[in-house]
Amino acid sequence: MAEPKTKYDRQLRIWGEQGQAALEKASICLLNCGPTGSETLKNLVLGGVGSITVIDGSKVELGDLGNNFLVDESSIGQSKAKCVCASLQELNDAVKAKFIEEYPETLIETNPSFFSQFTLVIATQLVEDSMIKLDRICREANVMLIFARSYGLTGFVRISLKEHTVIESKPDHFLDDLRLNNPWPELRRFAETIDLNVSDPVAHKHIPYVVILVKMAKQWTKSHDGKFPSTWEEKRAFKDLLKAKTITTDEDNYKEAVDASFKVFARRGISSNLRQIIDDSHAEVDSSSSDFWVMVAALKEFIANEGGGEAPLEGSIPDMTSSTEHYVNLQKIYQAKAEADVLVIEQRVRNILKKIGRDPDSISKANIKSFCKNARKLTICRYRLLEEEFNSPIQPELQKYLTDEDYSVAVGFYILLRAVDRFAANYNSFPGQFDGGMDEDISRLKTTAVSLLSDLGCNGSTLTEDLINEMCRFGAAELHAVAAFIGGIAAQEVIKHSSQNNLSPCLGLSSSMALITSLSYCRYNGGLKLEVFLRKQFFSHDGLNLLQGTALLMGSSIQRWSKTR
């Protein structure tokens, strides 16, 4: 068997050793192992999760061979959970795998405590009533829950947990932590050893821009009552001062200083987001607090004391025009400051752990170091109960998006994905699931959708005939291409939440956004070509909370396809 570092080399580069270690500790339960569930778990097994438990009470049928590659002809008539589990085990023998031949709905009703043994539950192809019950069970047990469902050419992924804390959030854009407007003593002393008026042109063009800005900022504040440039005119004057220091036109270091001068103007101290986190009630820790909140409590103490209002230094510097000697010395100064900050916070973490009655060494130094490095970028996502989402939408926002040209199709499918469950509860089948009676099913689904909209407070709102017709033509089919796409998104969310990562680029979701994508079938050279369009449209946290934490897969079909039953 390959060594883990060799086996998982490529993914280790993305989410790191800590993320992989967290993934390998994860205990995952999958409900229903049809194509959507199988595709989700396949991605996770290949990624090296700790253990999986597959729950499904159905037998493999002939139709399963067309959309689930984890079963074959020899599987027909056998337990689907057993066959899928065996195939998944073959993909990665390091993953512990077991199955239970039971219908998920039965477990939800008769043995709710069963789910408390897992770190995460992935529930696929459940109807609304079972989703609400399972959501309540997992919330009470503090177990992460991810719903995934594919339905014809549409589907969704929804995350549900009380709280998700992210240490390595990996934001797309974030200022380097250079402290040019608040240099510590060692950085100031280093800058003072370098003469900006040196006569040697080679030495002059190899002064790091960090040193240039630290010295010029000090010069500015001396003549401006200790204040940094704040108005547009002052900022322009500061840049002019930098330009005036150049000797030749090819001094890239001074050009870099001018381009980076805005870092001097940046506000000192911590961001409003970080302030909100350290002031959160969870920062008042006790023996039941998570490691994250213990470290936040230590961070709060650090900012108020040794940090002087600043978070711990990250300790890295960007590439810049500089002599090797200056650059190496600058690196050492930043690294030494960062290491000193880590030591202070580590001691505070140990003291807090001891105070609340926990083992002072229960949080590793590696975790504390990673926390300090990413302290400015900490993120917290909190999610509403599914029942609240379904029963308490913000009506004005919902109505707004129902009539918005850009969002109406996505919201329409969201409503219809709920309407088909009501339809099935009333008529014991999904619309269009069986041949014949399509016109009647369309009429019934339309009535059901209007009733659902009325219950949500959207009286008078309607959905287009095209969307309703599409939903009936889907016939509750699980197409492998769509299931694979949905499974990919669901698996990525599991990895992000298990590893406390927020990977970029992000197909996934926070509590405040929903990624809208679309699939369509079209004719291409006499055949079918699957086209995937990613449309980066997001619902804000203050906007359509009905869609909070939900990814929708929109779809439309130009022609019928044979349904897999």
Side-chain angles (χ1 to χ4, degrees), residues 131-148:
M131 288 171 65
I132 291 173
K133 291 176 182 177
L134 181 61
D135 185 39
R136 198 179 299 120
I137 291 167
C138 289
R139 282 296 180 98
E140 291 175 358
N142 201 27
V143 173
M144 194 183 308
L145 175 62
I146 293 181
F147 294 106

Side-chain angles (χ1 to χ4, degrees), residues 43-229:
N43 295 323
L44 297 173
V45 166
L46 290 173
V49 295
S51 64
I52 59 170
T53 300
V54 180
I55 312 293
D56 197 314
S58 62
K59 305 291 185 182
V60 178
E61 300 177 359
L62 183 63
D64 294 317
L65 306 186
N67 62 5
N68 193 336
F69 77 98
L70 293 180
V71 298
D72 55 28
E73 290 184 12
S74 65
S75 306
I76 295 176
Q78 296 185 46
S79 163
K80 189 184 292 185
K82 179 181 179 180
C83 295
V84 168
C85 188
S87 297
L88 289 170
Q89 185 76 82
E90 290 180 13
L91 296 177
N92 190 344
D93 56 9
V95 176
K96 298 176 183 177
K98 66 178 182 178
F99 70 93
I100 296 176
E101 192 174 355
E102 180 66 89
Y103 288 101
E105 293 82 1
T106 303
L107 273 178
I108 292 170
E109 291 289 346
T110 62
N111 191 11
S113 62
F114 170 81
F115 300 100
S116 62
Q117 63 184 293
F118 303 103
T119 57
L120 187 142
V121 174
I122 303 169
T124 66
Q125 305 306 103
L126 291 185
V127 295
E128 185 172 308
D129 183 55
S130 295
M131 288 171 65
I132 291 173
K133 291 176 182 177
L134 181 61
D135 185 39
R136 198 179 299 120
I137 291 167
C138 289
R139 282 296 180 98
E140 291 175 358
N142 201 27
V143 173
M144 194 183 308
L145 175 62
I146 293 181
F147 294 106
R149 186 177 187 181
S150 61
Y151 193 101
L153 287 177
T154 188
F156 69 85
V157 173
R158 194 209 191 272
I159 306 158
S160 182
L161 69 160
K162 290 179 181 178
E163 176 183 272
H164 174 50
T165 55
V166 182
I167 294 176
E168 297 184 53
S169 61
K170 296 181 174 65
D172 291 333
H173 305 287
F174 216 82
L175 282 180
D176 297 314
D177 191 13
L178 299 177
R179 307 287 169 90
L180 301 180
N181 57 1
N182 191 17
W184 61 100
E186 291 79 7
L187 180 57
R188 284 199 301 267
R189 284 196 292 269
F190 175 71
E192 289 167 2
T193 65
I194 300 175
D195 183 9
L196 296 187
N197 298 316
V198 62
S199 58
D200 182 353
V202 175
H204 193 267
K205 68 170 61 176
H206 286 89
I207 301 172
Y209 81 77
V210 168
V211 172
I212 296 171
L213 289 174
V214 167
K215 291 180 73 74
M216 294 303 294
K218 181 180 178 181
Q219 179 181 320
W220 175 278
T221 56
K222 278 185 178 180
S223 59
H224 290 80
D225 299 324
K227 298 178 181 178
F228 289 102

Side-chain angles (χ1 to χ4, degrees), residues 228-420:
F228 289 102
S230 57
T231 66
W232 181 83
E233 291 80 6
E234 288 177 340
K235 292 175 182 178
R236 185 177 63 177
F238 183 78
K239 291 180 180 180
D240 289 341
L241 276 178
L242 293 172
K243 293 174 183 176
K245 283 287 183 180
T246 58
I247 298 176
T248 61
T249 57
D250 64 341
E251 294 185 314
D252 290 337
N253 57 335
Y254 276 88
K255 292 176 183 177
E256 290 170 359
V258 171
D259 291 341
S261 61
F262 70 93
K263 297 175 183 178
V264 174
F265 316 145
R267 187 175 64 86
R268 286 185 180 183
I270 62 175
S271 67
S272 58
N273 178 64
L274 184 54
R275 171 62 61 186
Q276 189 175 3
I277 291 173
I278 65 174
D279 288 343
D280 193 284
S281 60
H282 288 76
E284 301 296 327
V285 295
D286 55 33
S287 59
S288 63
S289 297
S290 68
D291 290 355
F292 176 87
W293 285 111
V294 170
M295 290 188 286
V296 167
L299 174 64
K300 184 175 183 178
E301 291 180 1
F302 174 88
I303 292 171
N305 295 282
E306 297 89 352
E310 298 275 9
L313 189 74
E314 290 184 19
S316 60
I317 59 174
D319 290 336
M320 63 187 76
T321 302
S322 171
S323 66
T324 301
E325 181 183 0
H326 286 340
Y327 189 81
V328 170
N329 287 335
L330 203 56
Q331 268 188 327
K332 289 179 179 178
I333 290 168
Y334 274 86
Q335 288 170 357
K337 167 64 172 167
E339 289 169 4
D341 287 351
V342 169
L343 289 174
V344 173
I345 289 189
E346 182 185 4
Q347 187 57 52
R348 289 194 172 276
V349 168
R350 307 293 179 218
N351 292 340
I352 290 171
L353 287 169
K354 186 177 181 180
K355 183 179 177 180
I356 61 178
R358 287 174 55 183
D359 180 1
D361 297 319
S362 60
I363 301 178
S364 70
K365 184 169 183 176
N367 285 347
I368 296 172
K369 187 174 182 179
S370 175
F371 179 88
C372 290
K373 184 178 180 179
N374 295 281
R376 297 189 308 140
K377 307 165 190 173
L378 301 178
T379 302
I380 298 174
C381 302
R382 287 176 175 142
Y383 302 80
R384 297 202 302 167
L385 276 165
L386 193 65
E387 192 170 14
E388 292 176 9
E389 176 190 314
F390 286 166
N391 297 333
S392 305
I394 299 176
Q395 295 172 4
E397 294 293 333
L398 178 57
Q399 290 175 327
K400 169 188 172 184
Y401 287 117
L402 279 167
T403 57
D404 189 295
E405 183 177 347
D406 292 329
Y407 298 100
S408 59
V409 176
V411 179
F413 274 123
Y414 175 83
I415 296 296
L416 286 171
L417 281 165
R418 295 186 58 192
V420 294

